[in-house]
């Protein structure tokens, strides 16, 4: 089955760190623009980061310098390292499979990151 | 405030047609493809339209997309109660060097 499954979310204090994982099956993540998108409670979608087929990366200004996207081809898993977390990073984080035309055809169920003191 | 502007809400009766607009600029919609997503309550987004007007397999032709200059439009005909959801447009922004989404539009089928 073609799917992505996120994990690693949880409750964390401001300033803390988390690593999110996105396990893919049925396709090879290195052949796509693998992307993280987040959604704060009751809010809209916010693009977070992408790792391109060639391995290059891009980040939203709101997370640049604090979050790092990476992938492990051997386990076919996408990661997002979240450092220096802030209260406004609280959101459901979705992993999505993307294409060159900048669209996302496969989404996971998401994992909730709750940053609170 | 989102880079792409959508109306917060739209409504129409079952069987009717509705359109949802998405307004941007030359750095995003004007020079890049637009996609549209449907998010039912409590679920992940689902791709409805890509490359401005193409439908993925399984998406009924009741859903259509178009683009003109720096604006895009999602059309839904033959509205059903199951279409009640939040709808988002998305594209790439060349100045931000990142992806952008609209603020979302809540569709109510009266």
């Amino acid at each position: 089955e073609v799917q992505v499954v996120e994990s690693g979310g949880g409750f964390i204090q401001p300033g803390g760190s988390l690593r999110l994982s996105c396990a893919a099956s049925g396709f090879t993540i290195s052949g796509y623009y693998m992307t993280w998108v987040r959604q704060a409670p009751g809010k809209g979608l916010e693009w977070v980061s992408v790792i391109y087929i060639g391995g290059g990366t891009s980040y939203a200004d709101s997370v640049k310098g604090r979050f790092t996207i990476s992938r492990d081809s051997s386990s076919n898993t996408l990661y997002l390292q979240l450092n220096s977390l802030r209260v406004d990073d609280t959101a459901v984080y979705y992993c999505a499979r993307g294409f060159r035309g900048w669209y996302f055809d496969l989404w996971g169920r998401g994992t909730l990151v709750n940053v609170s003191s | 405030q989102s880079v792409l502007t959508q109306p917060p809400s739209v409504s129409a009766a079952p069987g009717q047609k509705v359109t949802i607009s998405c307004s941007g600029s030359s750095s995003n919609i004007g020079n890049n493809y637009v996609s549209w997503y449907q998010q039912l309550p409590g679920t992940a987004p689902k791709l409805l339209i890509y490359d401005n007007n193409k439908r993925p397999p399984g998406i009924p032709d009741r859903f259509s997309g178009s683009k003109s200059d720096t604006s895009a439009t999602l059309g839904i005909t033959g509205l059903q109660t199951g279409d009640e959801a939040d709808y988002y447009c998305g594209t790439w922004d060349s100045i931000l060097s990142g992806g952008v989404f609209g603020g979302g539009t809540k569709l109510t089928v009266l």
Side-chain angles (χ1 to χ4, degrees):
Chain A
E1 182 183 3
V2 177
Q3 65 176 359
V4 291
V5 179
E6 304 94 335
S7 61
F11 289 84
I12 187 80
Q13 291 188 334
S17 297
L18 276 179
R19 189 177 80 158
L20 306 183
S21 299
C22 169
S25 56
F27 70 99
T28 302
I29 62 171
S30 58
Y32 297 88
Y33 288 29
M34 294 304 296
T35 299
W36 289 97
V37 174
R38 69 183 180 182
Q39 186 170 34
K43 302 297 184 181
L45 303 177
E46 180 187 13
W47 174 80
V48 173
S49 180
V50 62
I51 185 165
Y52 299 104
I53 295 172
T57 59
S58 288
Y59 299 91
D61 286 345
S62 59
V63 307
K64 201 172 293 183
R66 300 187 300 121
F67 291 7
T68 303
I69 191 171
S70 62
R71 68 189 181 200
D72 180 354
S73 296
S74 64
S75 62
N76 211 31
T77 302
L78 178 73
Y79 298 102
L80 188 67
Q81 178 68 40
L82 289 63
N83 296 333
S84 303
L85 281 162
R86 307 188 302 220
V87 171
D88 62 359
D89 292 319
T90 294
V92 173
Y93 285 72
Y94 294 103
C95 164
R97 183 174 74 173
F99 292 79
R100 185 181 178 88
W102 203 254
Y103 62 93
F104 312 106
D105 74 329
L106 181 67
W107 297 67
R109 291 187 173 185
T111 186
L112 175 63
V113 173
N114 193 323
V115 186
S116 173
S117 55
Chain B
Q1 184 118 3
S2 302
V3 172
L4 305 180
T5 301
Q6 297 181 233
S9 63
V10 296
S11 62
Q16 296 300 303
K17 173 183 178 178
V18 71
T19 60
I20 297 173
S21 61
C22 176
S23 178
S25 67
S26 59
S27 67
N28 42 67
I29 292 178
N31 285 283
N32 295 287
Y33 287 116
V34 176
S35 53
W36 288 91
Y37 305 86
Q38 176 193 62
Q39 187 175 33
L40 298 169
T43 70
K46 175 184 178 181
L47 178 66
L48 286 179
I49 298 290
Y50 69 99
D51 290 357
N52 302 331
N53 55 18
K54 297 176 182 175
R55 287 186 305 277
I59 301 300
D61 59 6
R62 300 189 299 108
F63 296 90
S64 64
S66 64
K67 189 182 96 167
S68 178
D69 294 328
T70 59
S71 292
T73 301
L74 173 70
I76 311 173
T77 60
L79 278 171
Q80 304 172 0
T81 56
D83 295 332
E84 287 201 334
D86 294 322
Y87 292 83
Y88 296 90
C89 57
T91 187
W92 176 261
D93 190 290
S94 306
I95 291 179
L96 297 175
S97 292
V100 289
F101 288 101
T105 299
K106 182 176 182 61
L107 168 63
T108 300
V109 181
L110 302 168

